Structure formats: structure tokens, C-alpha cells
Amino acid sequence: MQAGQLRVWLDRGPDPEGGPVIGRSYEIRVVGSLGPAAREAFTDVAVEVEPTATVLCGDLDQADLHALLDRVRAFGLELTDIRQVPDQLSG
């Protein structure tokens, strides 16, 4: 993780069906900065604005990751990178 970036760690707990929910930490990078409406749509993840990009960071299961990517697409944001960040809580 680069200096100045934020990361959100959420305790996902078991899913309603009784099975475990496996969340992984992701960083999703988009071009430019987010306006007020877009920032409001991404309150469930950390938003770090860099000089030429915005990084969305959060601990997401697969359904959450796809929902987040759907919001990125809905706002017409240009996606430049998605990466899974190693779990720093274990180890």
C-alpha cells in the first residue's frame, strides 16, 4: 500500500445461509477524482484521491466486489487497475 492510502477492514461474519463469507482486501483504481455524487455512492469503502487517480479500498467478498464494479461502470469511471491486497492481519 502506498503512503496516504486508506484501507477498510470489515468483519464480514457468516452469510445468512450459514456458510462463511470470504472477504478479501481490494484496491480499485479509477482515473481522476470523484465528484460529490460519486463519493456518496462509495461510502462503504475508503476513498483516497491521488493527483491523477482515485483509489477505492475495501474488504469485499465476490458479490460486494461485483457490486462495486457495477457502480464504477454506472458512474462512467475509467477503471485502470484492480488488485487484491495481501491480508496484513494474519502473519
Side-chain angles (χ1 to χ4, degrees):
M1 186 160 83
Q2 297 176 351
Q5 287 184 336
L6 302 174
R7 182 168 300 133
V8 174
W9 298 100
L10 302 174
D11 181 8
R12 305 297 299 173
D15 75 10
E17 315 287 308
V21 173
I22 298 173
R24 305 223 187 272
S25 185
Y26 290 94
E27 292 180 356
I28 293 93
R29 188 176 300 271
V30 298
V31 173
S33 61
L34 303 181
R39 279 185 175 265
E40 188 67 29
F42 294 102
T43 58
D44 57 335
V45 294
V47 177
E48 177 66 26
V49 178
E50 297 179 345
T52 61
T54 298
V55 182
L56 307 170
C57 303
D59 192 25
L60 309 167
D61 62 24
Q62 284 295 296
D64 292 337
L65 177 60
H66 286 273
L68 182 65
L69 293 174
D70 287 343
R71 283 183 276 161
V72 167
R73 182 178 32 228
F75 277 90
L77 303 173
E78 183 179 342
L79 182 65
T80 60
D81 188 34
I82 302 172
R83 70 183 190 111
Q84 185 178 335
V85 181
D87 183 3
Q88 295 183 7
L89 293 178
S90 63

Coordinates of all heavy atoms in Angstrom, one line a residue:
M1 N 0.8 -1.2 0.0 CA 0.0 0.0 0.0 C 0.9 1.2 0.0 O 1.8 1.3 0.7 CB -0.9 0.0 1.2 CG -1.9 1.1 1.2 SD -3.3 0.8 2.3 CE -2.6 1.3 3.9
Q2 N 0.5 2.2 -0.8 CA 1.3 3.4 -0.9 C 1.0 4.4 0.2 O -0.1 4.3 0.8 CB 1.1 4.1 -2.3 CG 1.5 3.3 -3.4 CD 1.1 3.9 -4.8 OE1 0.4 4.9 -4.8 NE2 1.6 3.4 -5.8
A3 N 1.9 5.3 0.5 CA 1.7 6.2 1.6 C 0.5 7.0 1.3 O 0.2 7.4 0.2 CB 2.9 7.2 1.7
G4 N -0.3 7.3 2.3 CA -1.5 8.1 2.2 C -2.8 7.4 1.8 O -3.8 7.9 1.8
Q5 N -2.7 6.1 1.4 CA -3.8 5.3 1.1 C -4.5 4.8 2.3 O -3.9 4.5 3.3 CB -3.5 4.1 0.2 CG -3.1 4.6 -1.2 CD -2.9 3.4 -2.1 OE1 -2.6 2.3 -1.6 NE2 -3.0 3.6 -3.4
L6 N -5.8 4.7 2.2 CA -6.6 4.2 3.4 C -7.1 2.8 3.0 O -7.3 2.4 1.9 CB -7.8 5.1 3.6 CG -7.6 6.5 3.8 CD1 -8.9 7.3 3.9 CD2 -6.8 6.7 5.2
R7 N -7.3 2.0 4.0 CA -7.8 0.6 3.8 C -8.9 0.4 4.9 O -8.8 0.8 6.0 CB -6.8 -0.4 4.0 CG -7.3 -1.8 3.7 CD -6.3 -2.9 3.5 NE -5.5 -2.6 2.4 CZ -4.1 -2.7 2.5 NH1 -3.5 -3.1 3.6 NH2 -3.4 -2.4 1.4
V8 N -10.0 -0.2 4.5 CA -11.1 -0.5 5.4 C -11.1 -2.0 5.7 O -11.0 -2.8 4.8 CB -12.5 -0.2 4.7 CG1 -13.6 -0.6 5.6 CG2 -12.5 1.3 4.5
W9 N -11.1 -2.4 6.9 CA -11.2 -3.8 7.3 C -12.6 -4.0 7.9 O -12.9 -3.4 8.9 CB -10.1 -4.2 8.3 CG -8.8 -4.0 7.8 CD1 -7.9 -2.9 8.0 CD2 -8.1 -4.8 6.9 NE1 -6.8 -3.1 7.3 CE2 -6.8 -4.3 6.6 CE3 -8.4 -6.1 6.3 CZ2 -5.9 -4.8 5.8 CZ3 -7.4 -6.6 5.4 CH2 -6.2 -6.0 5.2
L10 N -13.4 -4.9 7.3 CA -14.7 -5.2 7.8 C -14.8 -6.6 8.3 O -14.3 -7.5 7.7 CB -15.8 -5.0 6.7 CG -15.8 -3.6 6.1 CD1 -16.8 -3.6 4.9 CD2 -16.2 -2.5 7.1
D11 N -15.5 -6.8 9.4 CA -15.7 -8.2 9.9 C -17.0 -8.7 9.2 O -18.1 -8.3 9.5 CB -15.9 -8.2 11.4 CG -16.1 -9.6 11.9 OD1 -16.0 -10.6 11.2 OD2 -16.4 -9.7 13.1
R12 N -16.8 -9.5 8.2 CA -17.9 -9.9 7.3 C -18.8 -10.9 8.0 O -20.0 -11.0 7.7 CB -17.4 -10.6 6.0 CG -16.5 -9.7 5.2 CD -17.1 -8.4 4.8 NE -18.2 -8.7 3.9 CZ -19.0 -7.9 3.4 NH1 -18.9 -6.6 3.7 NH2 -20.0 -8.2 2.6
G13 N -18.3 -11.8 8.9 CA -19.1 -12.8 9.6 C -19.7 -13.8 8.6 O -19.4 -13.8 7.4
P14 N -20.5 -14.7 9.1 CA -21.1 -15.7 8.3 C -22.2 -15.1 7.4 O -22.8 -14.1 7.8 CB -21.7 -16.7 9.3 CG -21.9 -16.0 10.5 CD -20.8 -14.9 10.5
D15 N -22.5 -15.8 6.3 CA -23.6 -15.3 5.4 C -24.9 -15.8 6.0 O -25.0 -16.6 6.9 CB -23.4 -15.7 4.0 CG -23.6 -17.1 3.7 OD1 -24.2 -17.8 4.5 OD2 -23.3 -17.6 2.6
P16 N -26.0 -15.2 5.5 CA -27.3 -15.6 6.1 C -27.7 -17.1 5.8 O -28.5 -17.6 6.5 CB -28.3 -14.7 5.3 CG -27.5 -13.6 4.7 CD -26.1 -14.1 4.6
E17 N -27.0 -17.7 4.9 CA -27.3 -19.1 4.6 C -26.5 -20.0 5.6 O -26.7 -21.2 5.5 CB -26.9 -19.4 3.2 CG -27.3 -18.4 2.1 CD -28.8 -18.5 1.9 OE1 -29.3 -19.6 1.6 OE2 -29.5 -17.5 1.9
G18 N -25.7 -19.4 6.4 CA -25.0 -20.2 7.4 C -23.5 -20.5 7.0 O -22.8 -21.0 7.8
G19 N -23.1 -20.3 5.8 CA -21.8 -20.5 5.4 C -20.9 -19.3 5.6 O -21.3 -18.2 5.8
P20 N -19.6 -19.6 5.6 CA -18.6 -18.4 5.8 C -18.6 -17.5 4.6 O -18.8 -18.0 3.5 CB -17.3 -19.1 6.0 CG -17.4 -20.4 5.2 CD -18.8 -20.8 5.4
V21 N -18.4 -16.2 4.8 CA -18.3 -15.3 3.8 C -16.8 -15.0 3.7 O -16.2 -14.5 4.7 CB -19.1 -14.0 4.0 CG1 -18.7 -12.9 3.0 CG2 -20.6 -14.3 4.0
I22 N -16.2 -15.2 2.6 CA -14.7 -14.9 2.5 C -14.5 -13.6 1.8 O -14.9 -13.4 0.7 CB -14.0 -16.0 1.7 CG1 -14.2 -17.4 2.4 CG2 -12.6 -15.7 1.5 CD1 -13.7 -18.6 1.6
G23 N -14.0 -12.6 2.6 CA -13.7 -11.3 2.1 C -12.2 -11.2 1.9 O -11.4 -11.7 2.6
R24 N -11.9 -10.4 0.8 CA -10.5 -10.2 0.5 C -10.4 -8.6 0.4 O -11.3 -8.0 0.0 CB -10.1 -10.9 -0.7 CG -10.4 -12.3 -0.7 CD -9.2 -13.1 -1.3 NE -9.5 -14.5 -1.4 CZ -9.3 -15.4 -0.5 NH1 -8.8 -15.1 0.7 NH2 -9.5 -16.7 -0.7
S25 N -9.2 -8.1 0.7 CA -9.0 -6.7 0.6 C -8.6 -6.4 -0.9 O -7.7 -7.0 -1.5 CB -7.9 -6.3 1.5 OG -7.7 -4.9 1.5
Y26 N -9.3 -5.4 -1.4 CA -9.1 -5.0 -2.8 C -8.8 -3.5 -2.9 O -9.3 -2.7 -2.1 CB -10.3 -5.3 -3.7 CG -10.5 -6.7 -4.0 CD1 -11.4 -7.4 -3.1 CD2 -9.9 -7.4 -5.0 CE1 -11.6 -8.8 -3.4 CE2 -10.1 -8.7 -5.2 CZ -11.0 -9.4 -4.4 OH -11.2 -10.8 -4.6
E27 N -8.0 -3.1 -3.9 CA -7.8 -1.7 -4.3 C -8.3 -1.6 -5.7 O -7.8 -2.3 -6.6 CB -6.3 -1.3 -4.2 CG -5.8 -1.2 -2.8 CD -4.4 -0.8 -2.7 OE1 -3.7 -0.6 -3.8 OE2 -3.9 -0.7 -1.6
I28 N -9.2 -0.7 -6.0 CA -9.7 -0.4 -7.3 C -9.3 1.0 -7.7 O -9.7 1.9 -7.0 CB -11.3 -0.6 -7.4 CG1 -11.6 -2.1 -7.1 CG2 -11.8 -0.2 -8.7 CD1 -11.9 -2.4 -5.7
R29 N -8.6 1.1 -8.8 CA -8.1 2.5 -9.2 C -8.9 2.9 -10.4 O -9.0 2.2 -11.4 CB -6.6 2.4 -9.5 CG -5.9 3.7 -9.7 CD -4.4 3.5 -9.9 NE -3.8 2.9 -8.7 CZ -3.3 3.6 -7.7 NH1 -3.4 4.9 -7.7 NH2 -2.8 2.9 -6.6
V30 N -9.3 4.2 -10.3 CA -10.0 4.8 -11.5 C -9.3 6.2 -11.8 O -8.7 6.8 -10.9 CB -11.5 5.1 -11.2 CG1 -12.2 3.7 -10.9 CG2 -11.7 6.0 -10.0
V31 N -9.5 6.6 -13.0 CA -8.9 7.9 -13.5 C -9.6 9.1 -12.9 O -10.9 9.1 -12.8 CB -9.0 8.0 -15.0 CG1 -8.5 9.3 -15.5 CG2 -8.1 6.9 -15.6
G32 N -8.9 10.1 -12.4 CA -9.5 11.3 -12.0 C -10.0 11.2 -10.5 O -9.7 10.3 -9.8
S33 N -10.7 12.3 -10.1 CA -11.2 12.4 -8.8 C -12.7 12.3 -8.9 O -13.3 12.6 -9.9 CB -10.8 13.7 -8.1 OG -11.3 14.8 -8.8
L34 N -13.4 11.8 -7.8 CA -14.8 11.6 -7.8 C -15.5 12.9 -7.3 O -15.1 13.5 -6.4 CB -15.2 10.5 -6.8 CG -14.5 9.1 -7.0 CD1 -15.0 8.1 -6.0 CD2 -14.8 8.6 -8.4
G35 N -16.6 13.2 -8.0 CA -17.4 14.3 -7.6 C -18.3 13.9 -6.4 O -18.3 12.8 -5.9
P36 N -19.1 14.9 -5.9 CA -19.9 14.6 -4.7 C -20.9 13.4 -4.8 O -21.0 12.6 -3.9 CB -20.6 15.9 -4.5 CG -19.8 17.0 -5.2 CD -19.2 16.3 -6.3
A37 N -21.5 13.3 -6.0 CA -22.5 12.2 -6.1 C -21.8 10.9 -6.1 O -22.3 9.9 -5.5 CB -23.3 12.4 -7.4
A38 N -20.7 10.8 -6.8 CA -19.9 9.5 -6.8 C -19.4 9.2 -5.5 O -19.4 8.0 -5.0 CB -18.8 9.6 -7.9
R39 N -18.8 10.2 -4.8 CA -18.3 9.9 -3.4 C -19.5 9.4 -2.5 O -19.2 8.5 -1.7 CB -17.8 11.2 -2.8 CG -16.4 11.5 -3.2 CD -15.9 12.7 -2.4 NE -14.5 12.9 -2.7 CZ -13.5 12.5 -2.0 NH1 -13.7 11.7 -0.9 NH2 -12.2 12.7 -2.3
E40 N -20.7 9.9 -2.7 CA -21.8 9.4 -1.9 C -22.1 7.9 -2.2 O -22.5 7.2 -1.3 CB -23.0 10.3 -2.1 CG -24.2 10.0 -1.3 CD -24.0 10.3 0.2 OE1 -23.2 11.2 0.5 OE2 -24.6 9.7 1.1
A41 N -21.9 7.5 -3.4 CA -22.2 6.2 -3.9 C -21.1 5.2 -3.4 O -21.4 4.0 -3.4 CB -22.3 6.1 -5.4
F42 N -20.0 5.7 -2.9 CA -18.9 4.8 -2.5 C -18.6 5.0 -1.0 O -17.4 4.8 -0.6 CB -17.7 5.0 -3.3 CG -17.8 4.7 -4.8 CD1 -18.1 5.6 -5.7 CD2 -17.8 3.3 -5.2 CE1 -18.2 5.3 -7.1 CE2 -18.0 3.0 -6.5 CZ -18.2 3.9 -7.4
T43 N -19.6 5.2 -0.2 CA -19.3 5.4 1.3 C -19.0 4.1 2.0 O -18.5 4.2 3.1 CB -20.6 6.1 1.9 OG1 -21.7 5.3 1.7 CG2 -20.8 7.5 1.4
D44 N -19.2 3.0 1.4 CA -18.9 1.7 2.0 C -17.5 1.3 1.9 O -17.1 0.2 2.4 CB -19.9 0.6 1.5 CG -19.8 0.5 0.0 OD1 -19.4 1.4 -0.7 OD2 -20.1 -0.6 -0.5
V45 N -16.7 2.0 1.1 CA -15.3 1.7 1.0 C -14.5 3.0 1.3 O -15.0 4.1 1.2 CB -14.9 1.2 -0.4 CG1 -15.5 -0.2 -0.6 CG2 -15.3 2.2 -1.5
A46 N -13.2 2.9 1.5 CA -12.3 4.0 1.7 C -12.1 4.6 0.3 O -11.9 3.9 -0.7 CB -11.0 3.6 2.4
V47 N -12.1 6.0 0.2 CA -11.8 6.7 -1.0 C -10.6 7.5 -0.8 O -10.6 8.4 0.1 CB -13.0 7.6 -1.4 CG1 -12.7 8.3 -2.7 CG2 -14.3 6.7 -1.6
E48 N -9.5 7.3 -1.5 CA -8.3 8.0 -1.4 C -8.0 8.7 -2.8 O -7.9 8.0 -3.8 CB -7.1 7.1 -1.1 CG -5.8 7.8 -1.0 CD -5.7 8.8 0.1 OE1 -6.4 8.7 1.1 OE2 -4.9 9.8 -0.1
V49 N -8.0 10.0 -2.8 CA -7.8 10.8 -4.0 C -6.3 11.0 -4.1 O -5.6 11.6 -3.2 CB -8.6 12.1 -4.0 CG1 -8.3 12.9 -5.3 CG2 -10.0 11.8 -3.9
E50 N -5.7 10.7 -5.3 CA -4.3 10.9 -5.6 C -4.3 12.0 -6.7 O -5.4 12.4 -7.2 CB -3.7 9.6 -6.1 CG -3.6 8.5 -5.0 CD -3.0 7.3 -5.5 OE1 -2.8 7.1 -6.7 OE2 -2.7 6.4 -4.7
P51 N -3.1 12.5 -7.1 CA -3.1 13.6 -8.1 C -3.8 13.3 -9.4 O -4.5 14.1 -9.9 CB -1.6 13.8 -8.3 CG -1.0 13.3 -7.1 CD -1.8 12.2 -6.6
T52 N -3.8 12.0 -9.9 CA -4.4 11.7 -11.2 C -5.4 10.6 -11.1 O -5.9 10.2 -12.2 CB -3.3 11.4 -12.3 OG1 -2.6 10.3 -11.9 CG2 -2.4 12.6 -12.5
A53 N -5.6 10.1 -10.0 CA -6.5 8.9 -9.8 C -7.2 8.9 -8.5 O -6.8 9.6 -7.6 CB -5.7 7.6 -10.0
T54 N -8.2 8.0 -8.4 CA -8.9 7.8 -7.1 C -8.8 6.3 -6.8 O -9.0 5.5 -7.7 CB -10.3 8.2 -7.1 OG1 -10.4 9.6 -7.4 CG2 -11.0 7.9 -5.8
V55 N -8.4 5.9 -5.6 CA -8.3 4.5 -5.2 C -9.5 4.2 -4.2 O -9.6 4.9 -3.2 CB -7.0 4.2 -4.5 CG1 -6.8 2.7 -4.2 CG2 -5.8 4.6 -5.5
L56 N -10.2 3.2 -4.5 CA -11.3 2.7 -3.7 C -10.8 1.4 -3.0 O -10.3 0.5 -3.7 CB -12.5 2.3 -4.5 CG -13.0 3.5 -5.4 CD1 -14.1 2.9 -6.4 CD2 -13.6 4.6 -4.6
C57 N -10.8 1.4 -1.7 CA -10.2 0.3 -0.9 C -11.2 -0.3 0.0 O -11.9 0.4 0.7 CB -9.0 0.7 -0.1 SG -7.7 1.5 -1.0
G58 N -11.3 -1.6 0.1 CA -12.2 -2.3 1.0 C -12.0 -3.8 1.0 O -11.4 -4.4 0.2
D59 N -12.5 -4.3 2.1 CA -12.5 -5.8 2.3 C -13.8 -6.3 1.7 O -14.9 -6.0 2.3 CB -12.4 -6.1 3.8 CG -12.0 -7.6 4.0 OD1 -11.5 -8.2 3.1 OD2 -12.4 -8.1 5.1
L60 N -13.8 -7.0 0.6 CA -15.0 -7.3 -0.1 C -15.1 -8.8 -0.4 O -14.1 -9.4 -0.8 CB -15.0 -6.6 -1.5 CG -14.8 -5.1 -1.4 CD1 -14.5 -4.6 -2.8 CD2 -15.9 -4.4 -0.8
D61 N -16.3 -9.4 -0.3 CA -16.5 -10.7 -0.9 C -16.8 -10.6 -2.4 O -16.8 -9.5 -2.9 CB -17.6 -11.5 -0.1 CG -19.0 -10.9 -0.2 OD1 -19.2 -10.1 -1.2 OD2 -19.8 -11.1 0.7
Q62 N -17.0 -11.7 -3.1 CA -17.2 -11.6 -4.5 C -18.4 -10.8 -4.9 O -18.4 -10.0 -5.9 CB -17.2 -13.0 -5.1 CG -15.9 -13.7 -5.2 CD -15.0 -13.0 -6.2 OE1 -15.3 -12.9 -7.4 NE2 -13.9 -12.4 -5.7
A63 N -19.5 -11.0 -4.2 CA -20.7 -10.2 -4.5 C -20.5 -8.7 -4.3 O -20.9 -7.9 -5.2 CB -21.9 -10.7 -3.6
D64 N -19.8 -8.4 -3.2 CA -19.5 -6.9 -3.0 C -18.6 -6.4 -4.1 O -18.8 -5.2 -4.5 CB -18.9 -6.8 -1.6 CG -19.8 -7.0 -0.5 OD1 -21.1 -7.0 -0.7 OD2 -19.3 -7.4 0.6
L65 N -17.6 -7.2 -4.5 CA -16.7 -6.7 -5.5 C -17.4 -6.4 -6.8 O -17.2 -5.4 -7.4 CB -15.6 -7.7 -5.7 CG -14.6 -7.4 -6.8 CD1 -13.8 -6.1 -6.6 CD2 -13.6 -8.6 -7.0
H66 N -18.3 -7.4 -7.2 CA -19.0 -7.2 -8.4 C -20.0 -6.0 -8.3 O -20.1 -5.2 -9.3 CB -19.8 -8.4 -8.8 CG -18.9 -9.5 -9.3 ND1 -18.6 -9.6 -10.7 CD2 -18.2 -10.5 -8.7 CE1 -17.8 -10.6 -10.8 NE2 -17.5 -11.2 -9.7
A67 N -20.6 -5.8 -7.2 CA -21.5 -4.6 -7.0 C -20.7 -3.3 -7.0 O -21.2 -2.3 -7.6 CB -22.2 -4.7 -5.6
L68 N -19.5 -3.3 -6.5 CA -18.7 -2.1 -6.5 C -18.3 -1.8 -8.0 O -18.3 -0.7 -8.4 CB -17.4 -2.3 -5.7 CG -16.5 -1.1 -5.6 CD1 -17.1 0.1 -4.9 CD2 -15.2 -1.5 -4.8
L69 N -17.9 -2.8 -8.7 CA -17.5 -2.6 -10.1 C -18.7 -2.2 -10.9 O -18.6 -1.4 -11.9 CB -16.9 -3.9 -10.7 CG -15.6 -4.3 -10.1 CD1 -15.1 -5.7 -10.6 CD2 -14.5 -3.3 -10.3
D70 N -19.9 -2.6 -10.6 CA -21.1 -2.2 -11.3 C -21.3 -0.7 -11.0 O -21.7 0.1 -11.9 CB -22.4 -2.9 -10.8 CG -22.4 -4.3 -11.3 OD1 -21.7 -4.7 -12.3 OD2 -23.2 -5.1 -10.8
R71 N -21.0 -0.2 -9.8 CA -21.2 1.2 -9.5 C -20.1 2.0 -10.3 O -20.4 3.1 -10.8 CB -21.0 1.5 -8.0 CG -22.3 1.1 -7.3 CD -22.2 1.4 -5.8 NE -21.5 0.3 -5.2 CZ -21.0 0.3 -4.0 NH1 -20.9 1.4 -3.3 NH2 -20.4 -0.8 -3.5
V72 N -18.9 1.5 -10.4 CA -17.8 2.2 -11.1 C -18.3 2.4 -12.6 O -18.2 3.4 -13.1 CB -16.5 1.4 -11.1 CG1 -15.5 1.8 -12.1 CG2 -15.9 1.4 -9.7
R73 N -18.9 1.3 -13.1 CA -19.4 1.4 -14.5 C -20.5 2.3 -14.6 O -20.6 3.1 -15.6 CB -19.8 0.0 -15.0 CG -20.2 -0.1 -16.4 CD -20.6 -1.4 -16.9 NE -21.1 -2.3 -15.9 CZ -20.7 -3.5 -15.7 NH1 -19.8 -4.1 -16.4 NH2 -21.2 -4.2 -14.7
A74 N -21.5 2.3 -13.7 CA -22.7 3.1 -13.7 C -22.3 4.6 -13.7 O -23.0 5.5 -14.3 CB -23.6 2.8 -12.6
F75 N -21.2 5.0 -13.0 CA -20.8 6.4 -13.0 C -19.9 6.7 -14.1 O -19.4 7.9 -14.2 CB -20.1 6.7 -11.7 CG -21.1 7.0 -10.6 CD1 -21.6 6.0 -9.7 CD2 -21.5 8.3 -10.4 CE1 -22.5 6.3 -8.8 CE2 -22.4 8.6 -9.4 CZ -22.9 7.6 -8.6
G76 N -19.6 5.8 -15.0 CA -18.8 6.0 -16.2 C -17.3 6.3 -15.9 O -16.6 7.0 -16.6
L77 N -16.9 5.7 -14.7 CA -15.5 5.9 -14.3 C -14.6 5.0 -15.1 O -14.9 3.9 -15.4 CB -15.3 5.6 -12.8 CG -16.2 6.5 -11.9 CD1 -16.1 6.0 -10.5 CD2 -15.9 7.9 -12.0
E78 N -13.4 5.5 -15.5 CA -12.4 4.7 -16.3 C -11.6 3.9 -15.3 O -10.8 4.4 -14.5 CB -11.5 5.6 -17.1 CG -10.5 4.9 -18.0 CD -9.7 5.8 -18.8 OE1 -10.0 6.9 -19.0 OE2 -8.6 5.3 -19.2
L79 N -11.8 2.6 -15.3 CA -11.1 1.7 -14.5 C -9.7 1.4 -15.0 O -9.5 1.2 -16.2 CB -11.9 0.4 -14.4 CG -11.4 -0.8 -13.6 CD1 -11.4 -0.4 -12.1 CD2 -12.2 -2.0 -13.8
T80 N -8.7 1.6 -14.1 CA -7.3 1.4 -14.6 C -6.6 0.2 -13.9 O -5.7 -0.4 -14.5 CB -6.4 2.6 -14.4 OG1 -6.4 3.0 -13.0 CG2 -6.9 3.8 -15.2
D81 N -7.1 -0.2 -12.7 CA -6.4 -1.3 -12.0 C -7.4 -1.9 -10.9 O -8.1 -1.1 -10.3 CB -5.1 -0.8 -11.4 CG -4.3 -1.9 -10.8 OD1 -4.3 -3.0 -11.3 OD2 -3.6 -1.6 -9.8
I82 N -7.3 -3.2 -10.8 CA -8.0 -3.8 -9.7 C -6.9 -4.8 -9.2 O -6.3 -5.6 -9.9 CB -9.2 -4.7 -10.1 CG1 -10.2 -3.8 -10.8 CG2 -9.8 -5.4 -8.9 CD1 -11.3 -4.7 -11.4
R83 N -6.7 -4.7 -7.9 CA -5.7 -5.7 -7.3 C -6.1 -6.1 -5.9 O -6.7 -5.4 -5.2 CB -4.3 -5.2 -7.3 CG -4.0 -4.1 -6.4 CD -2.6 -3.6 -6.5 NE -2.2 -2.7 -5.5 CZ -1.3 -3.0 -4.5 NH1 -0.7 -4.1 -4.5 NH2 -1.1 -2.1 -3.6
Q84 N -5.9 -7.4 -5.7 CA -6.1 -8.0 -4.4 C -4.9 -7.6 -3.5 O -3.8 -7.8 -3.9 CB -6.3 -9.4 -4.5 CG -6.7 -10.1 -3.2 CD -7.0 -11.6 -3.3 OE1 -7.3 -12.0 -4.4 NE2 -6.8 -12.3 -2.3
V85 N -5.1 -7.1 -2.3 CA -4.1 -6.7 -1.4 C -3.9 -7.9 -0.4 O -4.9 -8.4 0.1 CB -4.4 -5.4 -0.7 CG1 -3.3 -5.0 0.2 CG2 -4.7 -4.3 -1.7
P86 N -2.6 -8.3 -0.2 CA -2.4 -9.3 0.8 C -3.0 -9.0 2.2 O -2.9 -7.8 2.6 CB -0.9 -9.4 0.9 CG -0.4 -8.8 -0.4 CD -1.4 -7.8 -0.8
D87 N -3.6 -10.0 2.8 CA -4.1 -9.8 4.2 C -3.0 -9.5 5.1 O -2.2 -10.4 5.4 CB -4.9 -11.0 4.6 CG -5.6 -10.9 5.9 OD1 -5.5 -9.8 6.5 OD2 -6.2 -11.9 6.3
Q88 N -3.0 -8.3 5.7 CA -1.9 -7.9 6.7 C -2.3 -8.3 8.1 O -1.5 -8.1 9.0 CB -1.6 -6.5 6.5 CG -1.0 -6.2 5.2 CD -0.6 -4.7 5.0 OE1 -0.6 -4.0 6.0 NE2 -0.2 -4.3 3.8
L89 N -3.6 -8.7 8.3 CA -4.0 -9.1 9.7 C -3.4 -10.4 10.1 O -3.3 -10.7 11.3 CB -5.5 -9.1 9.8 CG -6.2 -7.7 9.6 CD1 -7.7 -7.9 9.7 CD2 -5.7 -6.8 10.6
S90 N -3.1 -11.3 9.2 CA -2.6 -12.6 9.5 C -1.1 -12.5 9.3 O -0.6 -11.9 8.4 CB -3.2 -13.7 8.6 OG -2.8 -13.5 7.3
G91 N -0.3 -13.2 10.1 CA 1.1 -13.2 9.9 C 1.9 -12.7 11.0 O 3.0 -12.7 11.1

